[in-house]
Amino acid sequence: MPKPAALNQRIYSIDILRGTVMIIMALDHVRDYFHQTASLDSPTNLLTTTPLLFFTRWITHFCAPTFVFLAGVSAYLSGRKKNTKDQCVFLLKRGLWLIFIEVAIVTLGWTFDPLYHVLILQVIWAIGISMIILGLMIWLPVNVILCFGLLIICFHNLLDYEEITRNGQVGILWDLMHHGNFEAIKFAPEHIFLLIYPYLPWTGIMLLGYGIGKIFTGSYSPGRRRKILFMSGSVFFLVFFILRSYNHYGDPVHWGMQRTQLFSWLSFINLTKYPPSLDYIALTIGVAMILLGFLDRVSNKSFAFIKVFGRVPFFFYVLHIYLIHTLAVVLFFIQGYTQKDIAPQHTPFYFRPDQFGFGLAGVYLLWFAVIMILYPLCKWYDNYKTTHIKWWLAFI
């Protein structure tokens, strides 16, 4: 059934920014599977990294916060077509659905382990539980939800001090909420949850996005919207710079002078993502808001290639994980690895041995190939969603 033309209207700046971060996100995941040191060392380890490797990882720090923030904005905009009860039910259902997808579908794509020895809780789980919380809060005035989001973002790092006094022994519920950083939670013999994204700060980002969503409605002129975005982004960026310079509250890992001036600067911007610190959120969301302000002037025909990915982010996300991992399996056999090498020692990613892959040039070439392969599939699905009304399209 074709959609009415009125339902096809989109906020182009949101689609373009979301498409941009989806493309950049794929770079990080290609690096996870194909860079030769990805399983053995961190690309932000200042003792061993190179500037290019550092920035290859660092630029992708903007992806998850921007994506979660825009998910909150989209929740507000889509909710305007529903009454409060229907929006509440929708957010609860979609949140539960995303958690299921994370555990059952996305985890399998990451691991290729049909026995699910490791269940990975990453960004999709964090978005899912944040949507459930937002669904329960949807009855509150939007400005109250915005304030809750800001309070969580600004003060969740106070929990760091209590975690230190307890030596990290805070219990499963606290781990799920805030402390977990690649925490392995055993739930059955030889089966664990690998907690990468504790939900509390991500929930704060989503609530912030929901509260900001009202400026993308017809009640705000384009000029007023851009002014709010530029001012808000600048305030976030200023908060980051002041707190990071103060070097106490805002990030649990302090920066310090390094062997060169460049590496000292890398230390300054090397922020904590797991869980996302106040400094990390302030920088990434500040930049996202400023970019939204600049992109607010673009037309429908601008950045057409990038926009396709931004219109079908969930479809792209699931598909790109399976594609990247499948390409890793192909290289696994081409390079002569055998059955004994399928399960690596340092990661849960099957068919990704610890000694495997290419240098950065190979990673960037494969990243380009992945984007080119996925573009026609995403374009087809975007066209399908645009021209059809089916209940399940709201969940994919």
Side-chain angles (χ1 to χ4, degrees), residues 41-55 58 244 253-271:
D41 196 9
S42 168
T44 56
N45 180 353
L46 297 181
L47 295 177
T48 57
T49 193
T50 65
L52 180 57
L53 177 57
F54 179 94
F55 280 109
W58 182 84
R244 195 58 172 164
V253 179
H254 298 170
W255 69 280
M257 300 301 294
Q258 305 295 315
R259 60 187 184 273
T260 67
Q261 186 175 359
L262 172 60
F263 274 81
S264 296
W265 172 244
L266 297 185
S267 177
F268 187 84
I269 62 173
N270 190 17
L271 307 172

PDB file of all heavy atoms in Angstrom, residues 41-55 58 244 253-271:
ATOM      1  N   ASP A  41      45.910  -5.127  20.663  1.00  0.00           N
ATOM      2  CA  ASP A  41      46.277  -3.838  21.242  1.00  0.00           C
ATOM      3  C   ASP A  41      45.193  -2.814  20.918  1.00  0.00           C
ATOM      4  O   ASP A  41      44.460  -2.957  19.929  1.00  0.00           O
ATOM      5  CB  ASP A  41      47.620  -3.359  20.687  1.00  0.00           C
ATOM      6  CG  ASP A  41      48.237  -2.242  21.512  1.00  0.00           C
ATOM      7  OD1 ASP A  41      47.721  -1.956  22.605  1.00  0.00           O
ATOM      8  OD2 ASP A  41      49.235  -1.658  21.048  1.00  0.00           O
ATOM      9  N   SER A  42      45.100  -1.795  21.750  1.00  0.00           N
ATOM     10  CA  SER A  42      44.122  -0.733  21.525  1.00  0.00           C
ATOM     11  C   SER A  42      44.698   0.309  20.582  1.00  0.00           C
ATOM     12  O   SER A  42      45.852   0.727  20.737  1.00  0.00           O
ATOM     13  CB  SER A  42      43.742  -0.069  22.850  1.00  0.00           C
ATOM     14  OG  SER A  42      43.008   1.119  22.608  1.00  0.00           O
ATOM     15  N   PRO A  43      43.912   0.776  19.614  1.00  0.00           N
ATOM     16  CA  PRO A  43      44.406   1.818  18.709  1.00  0.00           C
ATOM     17  C   PRO A  43      44.590   3.166  19.394  1.00  0.00           C
ATOM     18  O   PRO A  43      45.212   4.064  18.828  1.00  0.00           O
ATOM     19  CB  PRO A  43      43.312   1.894  17.631  1.00  0.00           C
ATOM     20  CG  PRO A  43      42.085   1.399  18.310  1.00  0.00           C
ATOM     21  CD  PRO A  43      42.543   0.343  19.278  1.00  0.00           C
ATOM     22  N   THR A  44      44.055   3.310  20.612  1.00  0.00           N
ATOM     23  CA  THR A  44      44.244   4.558  21.358  1.00  0.00           C
ATOM     24  C   THR A  44      45.271   4.405  22.476  1.00  0.00           C
ATOM     25  O   THR A  44      45.386   5.279  23.335  1.00  0.00           O
ATOM     26  CB  THR A  44      42.905   5.045  21.940  1.00  0.00           C
ATOM     27  OG1 THR A  44      42.334   4.019  22.761  1.00  0.00           O
ATOM     28  CG2 THR A  44      41.930   5.406  20.822  1.00  0.00           C
ATOM     29  N   ASN A  45      46.031   3.325  22.458  1.00  0.00           N
ATOM     30  CA  ASN A  45      47.130   3.136  23.404  1.00  0.00           C
ATOM     31  C   ASN A  45      48.278   4.045  22.970  1.00  0.00           C
ATOM     32  O   ASN A  45      48.951   3.780  21.964  1.00  0.00           O
ATOM     33  CB  ASN A  45      47.570   1.673  23.419  1.00  0.00           C
ATOM     34  CG  ASN A  45      48.715   1.413  24.390  1.00  0.00           C
ATOM     35  OD1 ASN A  45      49.289   2.340  24.976  1.00  0.00           O
ATOM     36  ND2 ASN A  45      49.066   0.155  24.561  1.00  0.00           N
ATOM     37  N   LEU A  46      48.507   5.111  23.704  1.00  0.00           N
ATOM     38  CA  LEU A  46      49.475   6.120  23.280  1.00  0.00           C
ATOM     39  C   LEU A  46      50.916   5.623  23.295  1.00  0.00           C
ATOM     40  O   LEU A  46      51.795   6.261  22.715  1.00  0.00           O
ATOM     41  CB  LEU A  46      49.346   7.360  24.167  1.00  0.00           C
ATOM     42  CG  LEU A  46      47.997   8.084  24.096  1.00  0.00           C
ATOM     43  CD1 LEU A  46      48.011   9.312  24.998  1.00  0.00           C
ATOM     44  CD2 LEU A  46      47.645   8.471  22.667  1.00  0.00           C
ATOM     45  N   LEU A  47      51.156   4.494  23.923  1.00  0.00           N
ATOM     46  CA  LEU A  47      52.511   3.944  23.943  1.00  0.00           C
ATOM     47  C   LEU A  47      52.837   3.186  22.663  1.00  0.00           C
ATOM     48  O   LEU A  47      54.015   3.029  22.312  1.00  0.00           O
ATOM     49  CB  LEU A  47      52.675   2.995  25.145  1.00  0.00           C
ATOM     50  CG  LEU A  47      52.564   3.636  26.525  1.00  0.00           C
ATOM     51  CD1 LEU A  47      52.675   2.570  27.612  1.00  0.00           C
ATOM     52  CD2 LEU A  47      53.619   4.718  26.712  1.00  0.00           C
ATOM     53  N   THR A  48      51.815   2.733  21.939  1.00  0.00           N
ATOM     54  CA  THR A  48      52.070   1.879  20.775  1.00  0.00           C
ATOM     55  C   THR A  48      51.410   2.365  19.493  1.00  0.00           C
ATOM     56  O   THR A  48      51.756   1.908  18.407  1.00  0.00           O
ATOM     57  CB  THR A  48      51.570   0.449  21.057  1.00  0.00           C
ATOM     58  OG1 THR A  48      50.167   0.494  21.392  1.00  0.00           O
ATOM     59  CG2 THR A  48      52.342  -0.184  22.195  1.00  0.00           C
ATOM     60  N   THR A  49      50.455   3.264  19.569  1.00  0.00           N
ATOM     61  CA  THR A  49      49.692   3.664  18.390  1.00  0.00           C
ATOM     62  C   THR A  49      50.475   4.634  17.515  1.00  0.00           C
ATOM     63  O   THR A  49      51.530   5.149  17.894  1.00  0.00           O
ATOM     64  CB  THR A  49      48.353   4.294  18.803  1.00  0.00           C
ATOM     65  OG1 THR A  49      47.502   4.405  17.659  1.00  0.00           O
ATOM     66  CG2 THR A  49      48.565   5.679  19.410  1.00  0.00           C
ATOM     67  N   THR A  50      49.941   4.876  16.339  1.00  0.00           N
ATOM     68  CA  THR A  50      50.422   5.936  15.452  1.00  0.00           C
ATOM     69  C   THR A  50      49.302   6.975  15.328  1.00  0.00           C
ATOM     70  O   THR A  50      48.136   6.663  15.585  1.00  0.00           O
ATOM     71  CB  THR A  50      50.768   5.393  14.066  1.00  0.00           C
ATOM     72  OG1 THR A  50      49.561   4.901  13.441  1.00  0.00           O
ATOM     73  CG2 THR A  50      51.792   4.261  14.162  1.00  0.00           C
ATOM     74  N   PRO A  51      49.619   8.200  14.940  1.00  0.00           N
ATOM     75  CA  PRO A  51      48.547   9.207  14.804  1.00  0.00           C
ATOM     76  C   PRO A  51      47.430   8.772  13.861  1.00  0.00           C
ATOM     77  O   PRO A  51      46.254   8.982  14.156  1.00  0.00           O
ATOM     78  CB  PRO A  51      49.297  10.435  14.279  1.00  0.00           C
ATOM     79  CG  PRO A  51      50.681  10.300  14.851  1.00  0.00           C
ATOM     80  CD  PRO A  51      50.963   8.817  14.803  1.00  0.00           C
ATOM     81  N   LEU A  52      47.779   8.144  12.729  1.00  0.00           N
ATOM     82  CA  LEU A  52      46.740   7.731  11.785  1.00  0.00           C
ATOM     83  C   LEU A  52      45.870   6.633  12.380  1.00  0.00           C
ATOM     84  O   LEU A  52      44.632   6.666  12.248  1.00  0.00           O
ATOM     85  CB  LEU A  52      47.369   7.246  10.477  1.00  0.00           C
ATOM     86  CG  LEU A  52      46.371   6.794   9.403  1.00  0.00           C
ATOM     87  CD1 LEU A  52      45.384   7.902   9.073  1.00  0.00           C
ATOM     88  CD2 LEU A  52      47.104   6.330   8.144  1.00  0.00           C
ATOM     89  N   LEU A  53      46.467   5.663  13.050  1.00  0.00           N
ATOM     90  CA  LEU A  53      45.690   4.605  13.678  1.00  0.00           C
ATOM     91  C   LEU A  53      44.827   5.168  14.796  1.00  0.00           C
ATOM     92  O   LEU A  53      43.652   4.797  14.950  1.00  0.00           O
ATOM     93  CB  LEU A  53      46.621   3.525  14.237  1.00  0.00           C
ATOM     94  CG  LEU A  53      45.944   2.373  14.990  1.00  0.00           C
ATOM     95  CD1 LEU A  53      44.921   1.661  14.115  1.00  0.00           C
ATOM     96  CD2 LEU A  53      47.000   1.395  15.512  1.00  0.00           C
ATOM     97  N   PHE A  54      45.378   6.084  15.576  1.00  0.00           N
ATOM     98  CA  PHE A  54      44.613   6.708  16.649  1.00  0.00           C
ATOM     99  C   PHE A  54      43.373   7.406  16.098  1.00  0.00           C
ATOM    100  O   PHE A  54      42.261   7.214  16.597  1.00  0.00           O
ATOM    101  CB  PHE A  54      45.494   7.718  17.403  1.00  0.00           C
ATOM    102  CG  PHE A  54      44.785   8.445  18.516  1.00  0.00           C
ATOM    103  CD1 PHE A  54      44.838   7.973  19.815  1.00  0.00           C
ATOM    104  CD2 PHE A  54      44.065   9.621  18.263  1.00  0.00           C
ATOM    105  CE1 PHE A  54      44.192   8.641  20.853  1.00  0.00           C
ATOM    106  CE2 PHE A  54      43.418  10.292  19.286  1.00  0.00           C
ATOM    107  CZ  PHE A  54      43.476   9.804  20.580  1.00  0.00           C
ATOM    108  N   PHE A  55      43.551   8.223  15.068  1.00  0.00           N
ATOM    109  CA  PHE A  55      42.413   8.980  14.532  1.00  0.00           C
ATOM    110  C   PHE A  55      41.437   8.084  13.773  1.00  0.00           C
ATOM    111  O   PHE A  55      40.253   8.407  13.695  1.00  0.00           O
ATOM    112  CB  PHE A  55      42.906  10.128  13.653  1.00  0.00           C
ATOM    113  CG  PHE A  55      43.361  11.324  14.435  1.00  0.00           C
ATOM    114  CD1 PHE A  55      44.702  11.648  14.516  1.00  0.00           C
ATOM    115  CD2 PHE A  55      42.440  12.105  15.129  1.00  0.00           C
ATOM    116  CE1 PHE A  55      45.131  12.749  15.253  1.00  0.00           C
ATOM    117  CE2 PHE A  55      42.855  13.208  15.871  1.00  0.00           C
ATOM    118  CZ  PHE A  55      44.194  13.533  15.928  1.00  0.00           C
ATOM    119  N   TRP A  58      39.554   7.150  16.750  1.00  0.00           N
ATOM    120  CA  TRP A  58      38.988   8.274  17.487  1.00  0.00           C
ATOM    121  C   TRP A  58      37.808   8.903  16.762  1.00  0.00           C
ATOM    122  O   TRP A  58      36.811   9.267  17.386  1.00  0.00           O
ATOM    123  CB  TRP A  58      40.079   9.321  17.740  1.00  0.00           C
ATOM    124  CG  TRP A  58      39.618  10.497  18.533  1.00  0.00           C
ATOM    125  CD1 TRP A  58      39.534  10.613  19.888  1.00  0.00           C
ATOM    126  CD2 TRP A  58      39.179  11.759  18.012  1.00  0.00           C
ATOM    127  NE1 TRP A  58      39.070  11.855  20.248  1.00  0.00           N
ATOM    128  CE2 TRP A  58      38.839  12.574  19.111  1.00  0.00           C
ATOM    129  CE3 TRP A  58      39.037  12.280  16.711  1.00  0.00           C
ATOM    130  CZ2 TRP A  58      38.382  13.880  18.958  1.00  0.00           C
ATOM    131  CZ3 TRP A  58      38.568  13.574  16.561  1.00  0.00           C
ATOM    132  CH2 TRP A  58      38.252  14.353  17.680  1.00  0.00           C
ATOM    133  N   ARG A 244      38.022  19.203  30.725  1.00  0.00           N
ATOM    134  CA  ARG A 244      39.208  18.439  30.359  1.00  0.00           C
ATOM    135  C   ARG A 244      40.474  19.188  30.763  1.00  0.00           C
ATOM    136  O   ARG A 244      41.472  18.574  31.173  1.00  0.00           O
ATOM    137  CB  ARG A 244      39.204  18.154  28.862  1.00  0.00           C
ATOM    138  CG  ARG A 244      40.181  17.062  28.430  1.00  0.00           C
ATOM    139  CD  ARG A 244      39.920  15.759  29.129  1.00  0.00           C
ATOM    140  NE  ARG A 244      40.732  14.672  28.564  1.00  0.00           N
ATOM    141  CZ  ARG A 244      40.934  13.513  29.175  1.00  0.00           C
ATOM    142  NH1 ARG A 244      40.385  13.286  30.370  1.00  0.00           N
ATOM    143  NH2 ARG A 244      41.666  12.568  28.612  1.00  0.00           N
ATOM    144  N   VAL A 253      39.658   8.930  33.362  1.00  0.00           N
ATOM    145  CA  VAL A 253      41.057   8.806  32.937  1.00  0.00           C
ATOM    146  C   VAL A 253      41.583  10.200  32.617  1.00  0.00           C
ATOM    147  O   VAL A 253      41.108  10.862  31.691  1.00  0.00           O
ATOM    148  CB  VAL A 253      41.190   7.890  31.706  1.00  0.00           C
ATOM    149  CG1 VAL A 253      42.654   7.803  31.273  1.00  0.00           C
ATOM    150  CG2 VAL A 253      40.629   6.502  32.005  1.00  0.00           C
ATOM    151  N   HIS A 254      42.555  10.659  33.383  1.00  0.00           N
ATOM    152  CA  HIS A 254      43.096  11.997  33.191  1.00  0.00           C
ATOM    153  C   HIS A 254      44.110  12.006  32.052  1.00  0.00           C
ATOM    154  O   HIS A 254      44.753  11.000  31.759  1.00  0.00           O
ATOM    155  CB  HIS A 254      43.765  12.485  34.478  1.00  0.00           C
ATOM    156  CG  HIS A 254      42.789  12.595  35.617  1.00  0.00           C
ATOM    157  ND1 HIS A 254      43.196  12.812  36.921  1.00  0.00           N
ATOM    158  CD2 HIS A 254      41.432  12.523  35.665  1.00  0.00           C
ATOM    159  CE1 HIS A 254      42.132  12.858  37.711  1.00  0.00           C
ATOM    160  NE2 HIS A 254      41.054  12.694  36.970  1.00  0.00           N
ATOM    161  N   TRP A 255      44.250  13.154  31.436  1.00  0.00           N
ATOM    162  CA  TRP A 255      45.243  13.282  30.387  1.00  0.00           C
ATOM    163  C   TRP A 255      46.556  13.757  31.005  1.00  0.00           C
ATOM    164  O   TRP A 255      46.590  14.244  32.128  1.00  0.00           O
ATOM    165  CB  TRP A 255      44.781  14.259  29.311  1.00  0.00           C
ATOM    166  CG  TRP A 255      44.728  15.696  29.739  1.00  0.00           C
ATOM    167  CD1 TRP A 255      43.753  16.311  30.456  1.00  0.00           C
ATOM    168  CD2 TRP A 255      45.724  16.680  29.483  1.00  0.00           C
ATOM    169  NE1 TRP A 255      44.059  17.633  30.658  1.00  0.00           N
ATOM    170  CE2 TRP A 255      45.260  17.892  30.073  1.00  0.00           C
ATOM    171  CE3 TRP A 255      46.941  16.685  28.817  1.00  0.00           C
ATOM    172  CZ2 TRP A 255      45.984  19.076  30.000  1.00  0.00           C
ATOM    173  CZ3 TRP A 255      47.674  17.855  28.743  1.00  0.00           C
ATOM    174  CH2 TRP A 255      47.192  19.033  29.338  1.00  0.00           C
ATOM    175  N   GLY A 256      47.638  13.597  30.252  1.00  0.00           N
ATOM    176  CA  GLY A 256      48.938  14.005  30.766  1.00  0.00           C
ATOM    177  C   GLY A 256      49.917  14.280  29.643  1.00  0.00           C
ATOM    178  O   GLY A 256      49.683  13.952  28.482  1.00  0.00           O
ATOM    179  N   MET A 257      51.021  14.887  29.993  1.00  0.00           N
ATOM    180  CA  MET A 257      52.061  15.193  29.010  1.00  0.00           C
ATOM    181  C   MET A 257      52.691  13.901  28.500  1.00  0.00           C
ATOM    182  O   MET A 257      52.970  12.983  29.274  1.00  0.00           O
ATOM    183  CB  MET A 257      53.126  16.094  29.619  1.00  0.00           C
ATOM    184  CG  MET A 257      52.582  17.437  30.121  1.00  0.00           C
ATOM    185  SD  MET A 257      51.775  18.400  28.813  1.00  0.00           S
ATOM    186  CE  MET A 257      53.182  18.749  27.743  1.00  0.00           C
ATOM    187  N   GLN A 258      52.914  13.850  27.182  1.00  0.00           N
ATOM    188  CA  GLN A 258      53.462  12.663  26.539  1.00  0.00           C
ATOM    189  C   GLN A 258      54.812  12.983  25.910  1.00  0.00           C
ATOM    190  O   GLN A 258      55.360  14.077  26.103  1.00  0.00           O
ATOM    191  CB  GLN A 258      52.480  12.152  25.484  1.00  0.00           C
ATOM    192  CG  GLN A 258      51.081  11.874  26.014  1.00  0.00           C
ATOM    193  CD  GLN A 258      51.038  10.736  27.016  1.00  0.00           C
ATOM    194  OE1 GLN A 258      51.645   9.683  26.808  1.00  0.00           O
ATOM    195  NE2 GLN A 258      50.314  10.937  28.117  1.00  0.00           N
ATOM    196  N   ARG A 259      55.324  12.036  25.134  1.00  0.00           N
ATOM    197  CA  ARG A 259      56.681  12.162  24.606  1.00  0.00           C
ATOM    198  C   ARG A 259      56.832  13.282  23.576  1.00  0.00           C
ATOM    199  O   ARG A 259      57.930  13.782  23.339  1.00  0.00           O
ATOM    200  CB  ARG A 259      57.128  10.831  23.993  1.00  0.00           C
ATOM    201  CG  ARG A 259      56.267  10.320  22.843  1.00  0.00           C
ATOM    202  CD  ARG A 259      56.723   8.911  22.435  1.00  0.00           C
ATOM    203  NE  ARG A 259      56.020   8.375  21.293  1.00  0.00           N
ATOM    204  CZ  ARG A 259      54.877   7.715  21.363  1.00  0.00           C
ATOM    205  NH1 ARG A 259      54.285   7.543  22.545  1.00  0.00           N
ATOM    206  NH2 ARG A 259      54.305   7.240  20.269  1.00  0.00           N
ATOM    207  N   THR A 260      55.732  13.676  22.929  1.00  0.00           N
ATOM    208  CA  THR A 260      55.758  14.805  21.990  1.00  0.00           C
ATOM    209  C   THR A 260      54.515  15.661  22.231  1.00  0.00           C
ATOM    210  O   THR A 260      53.560  15.239  22.880  1.00  0.00           O
ATOM    211  CB  THR A 260      55.760  14.337  20.525  1.00  0.00           C
ATOM    212  OG1 THR A 260      54.503  13.707  20.233  1.00  0.00           O
ATOM    213  CG2 THR A 260      56.895  13.359  20.257  1.00  0.00           C
ATOM    214  N   GLN A 261      54.529  16.860  21.670  1.00  0.00           N
ATOM    215  CA  GLN A 261      53.371  17.746  21.810  1.00  0.00           C
ATOM    216  C   GLN A 261      52.136  17.141  21.152  1.00  0.00           C
ATOM    217  O   GLN A 261      51.023  17.264  21.672  1.00  0.00           O
ATOM    218  CB  GLN A 261      53.695  19.109  21.187  1.00  0.00           C
ATOM    219  CG  GLN A 261      52.615  20.150  21.412  1.00  0.00           C
ATOM    220  CD  GLN A 261      53.015  21.524  20.889  1.00  0.00           C
ATOM    221  OE1 GLN A 261      54.106  21.710  20.365  1.00  0.00           O
ATOM    222  NE2 GLN A 261      52.130  22.498  21.047  1.00  0.00           N
ATOM    223  N   LEU A 262      52.319  16.481  20.002  1.00  0.00           N
ATOM    224  CA  LEU A 262      51.190  15.846  19.320  1.00  0.00           C
ATOM    225  C   LEU A 262      50.551  14.780  20.198  1.00  0.00           C
ATOM    226  O   LEU A 262      49.321  14.736  20.347  1.00  0.00           O
ATOM    227  CB  LEU A 262      51.659  15.235  17.993  1.00  0.00           C
ATOM    228  CG  LEU A 262      50.608  14.367  17.268  1.00  0.00           C
ATOM    229  CD1 LEU A 262      49.362  15.181  16.931  1.00  0.00           C
ATOM    230  CD2 LEU A 262      51.213  13.751  16.002  1.00  0.00           C
ATOM    231  N   PHE A 263      51.369  13.932  20.806  1.00  0.00           N
ATOM    232  CA  PHE A 263      50.813  12.862  21.626  1.00  0.00           C
ATOM    233  C   PHE A 263      50.209  13.408  22.924  1.00  0.00           C
ATOM    234  O   PHE A 263      49.290  12.797  23.476  1.00  0.00           O
ATOM    235  CB  PHE A 263      51.879  11.800  21.902  1.00  0.00           C
ATOM    236  CG  PHE A 263      51.984  10.772  20.813  1.00  0.00           C
ATOM    237  CD1 PHE A 263      52.686  11.031  19.657  1.00  0.00           C
ATOM    238  CD2 PHE A 263      51.351   9.542  20.943  1.00  0.00           C
ATOM    239  CE1 PHE A 263      52.774  10.089  18.640  1.00  0.00           C
ATOM    240  CE2 PHE A 263      51.426   8.597  19.944  1.00  0.00           C
ATOM    241  CZ  PHE A 263      52.141   8.868  18.779  1.00  0.00           C
ATOM    242  N   SER A 264      50.693  14.545  23.399  1.00  0.00           N
ATOM    243  CA  SER A 264      50.040  15.183  24.547  1.00  0.00           C
ATOM    244  C   SER A 264      48.634  15.645  24.154  1.00  0.00           C
ATOM    245  O   SER A 264      47.682  15.519  24.934  1.00  0.00           O
ATOM    246  CB  SER A 264      50.860  16.381  25.035  1.00  0.00           C
ATOM    247  OG  SER A 264      52.117  15.960  25.527  1.00  0.00           O
ATOM    248  N   TRP A 265      48.503  16.157  22.939  1.00  0.00           N
ATOM    249  CA  TRP A 265      47.180  16.557  22.452  1.00  0.00           C
ATOM    250  C   TRP A 265      46.285  15.332  22.277  1.00  0.00           C
ATOM    251  O   TRP A 265      45.094  15.361  22.602  1.00  0.00           O
ATOM    252  CB  TRP A 265      47.325  17.318  21.149  1.00  0.00           C
ATOM    253  CG  TRP A 265      46.019  17.613  20.466  1.00  0.00           C
ATOM    254  CD1 TRP A 265      45.592  17.152  19.265  1.00  0.00           C
ATOM    255  CD2 TRP A 265      44.973  18.453  20.952  1.00  0.00           C
ATOM    256  NE1 TRP A 265      44.347  17.631  18.965  1.00  0.00           N
ATOM    257  CE2 TRP A 265      43.934  18.438  19.979  1.00  0.00           C
ATOM    258  CE3 TRP A 265      44.795  19.217  22.104  1.00  0.00           C
ATOM    259  CZ2 TRP A 265      42.756  19.152  20.137  1.00  0.00           C
ATOM    260  CZ3 TRP A 265      43.613  19.926  22.262  1.00  0.00           C
ATOM    261  CH2 TRP A 265      42.618  19.887  21.290  1.00  0.00           C
ATOM    262  N   LEU A 266      46.861  14.228  21.796  1.00  0.00           N
ATOM    263  CA  LEU A 266      46.077  12.992  21.666  1.00  0.00           C
ATOM    264  C   LEU A 266      45.599  12.526  23.039  1.00  0.00           C
ATOM    265  O   LEU A 266      44.475  12.032  23.173  1.00  0.00           O
ATOM    266  CB  LEU A 266      46.909  11.897  21.000  1.00  0.00           C
ATOM    267  CG  LEU A 266      47.375  12.140  19.564  1.00  0.00           C
ATOM    268  CD1 LEU A 266      48.070  10.903  19.013  1.00  0.00           C
ATOM    269  CD2 LEU A 266      46.228  12.560  18.668  1.00  0.00           C
ATOM    270  N   SER A 267      46.424  12.680  24.052  1.00  0.00           N
ATOM    271  CA  SER A 267      46.027  12.325  25.410  1.00  0.00           C
ATOM    272  C   SER A 267      44.858  13.191  25.872  1.00  0.00           C
ATOM    273  O   SER A 267      43.930  12.710  26.530  1.00  0.00           O
ATOM    274  CB  SER A 267      47.210  12.482  26.367  1.00  0.00           C
ATOM    275  OG  SER A 267      46.827  12.214  27.693  1.00  0.00           O
ATOM    276  N   PHE A 268      44.879  14.466  25.488  1.00  0.00           N
ATOM    277  CA  PHE A 268      43.830  15.401  25.885  1.00  0.00           C
ATOM    278  C   PHE A 268      42.473  14.991  25.308  1.00  0.00           C
ATOM    279  O   PHE A 268      41.436  15.107  25.976  1.00  0.00           O
ATOM    280  CB  PHE A 268      44.201  16.811  25.422  1.00  0.00           C
ATOM    281  CG  PHE A 268      43.276  17.889  25.908  1.00  0.00           C
ATOM    282  CD1 PHE A 268      43.448  18.450  27.158  1.00  0.00           C
ATOM    283  CD2 PHE A 268      42.232  18.341  25.113  1.00  0.00           C
ATOM    284  CE1 PHE A 268      42.598  19.457  27.619  1.00  0.00           C
ATOM    285  CE2 PHE A 268      41.374  19.341  25.553  1.00  0.00           C
ATOM    286  CZ  PHE A 268      41.553  19.899  26.806  1.00  0.00           C
ATOM    287  N   ILE A 269      42.451  14.507  24.072  1.00  0.00           N
ATOM    288  CA  ILE A 269      41.188  14.167  23.421  1.00  0.00           C
ATOM    289  C   ILE A 269      40.881  12.668  23.501  1.00  0.00           C
ATOM    290  O   ILE A 269      39.872  12.209  22.940  1.00  0.00           O
ATOM    291  CB  ILE A 269      41.187  14.614  21.944  1.00  0.00           C
ATOM    292  CG1 ILE A 269      42.276  13.892  21.153  1.00  0.00           C
ATOM    293  CG2 ILE A 269      41.334  16.128  21.857  1.00  0.00           C
ATOM    294  CD1 ILE A 269      42.229  14.170  19.657  1.00  0.00           C
ATOM    295  N   ASN A 270      41.724  11.925  24.195  1.00  0.00           N
ATOM    296  CA  ASN A 270      41.511  10.478  24.340  1.00  0.00           C
ATOM    297  C   ASN A 270      40.560  10.243  25.511  1.00  0.00           C
ATOM    298  O   ASN A 270      40.966  10.094  26.658  1.00  0.00           O
ATOM    299  CB  ASN A 270      42.848   9.774  24.590  1.00  0.00           C
ATOM    300  CG  ASN A 270      42.722   8.266  24.506  1.00  0.00           C
ATOM    301  OD1 ASN A 270      41.746   7.744  23.966  1.00  0.00           O
ATOM    302  ND2 ASN A 270      43.703   7.559  25.051  1.00  0.00           N
ATOM    303  N   LEU A 271      39.269  10.196  25.228  1.00  0.00           N
ATOM    304  CA  LEU A 271      38.227  10.214  26.250  1.00  0.00           C
ATOM    305  C   LEU A 271      37.638   8.820  26.473  1.00  0.00           C
ATOM    306  O   LEU A 271      37.758   7.932  25.638  1.00  0.00           O
ATOM    307  CB  LEU A 271      37.120  11.191  25.839  1.00  0.00           C
ATOM    308  CG  LEU A 271      37.609  12.597  25.488  1.00  0.00           C
ATOM    309  CD1 LEU A 271      36.486  13.425  24.903  1.00  0.00           C
ATOM    310  CD2 LEU A 271      38.202  13.281  26.714  1.00  0.00           C
TER     311      LEU A 271
END
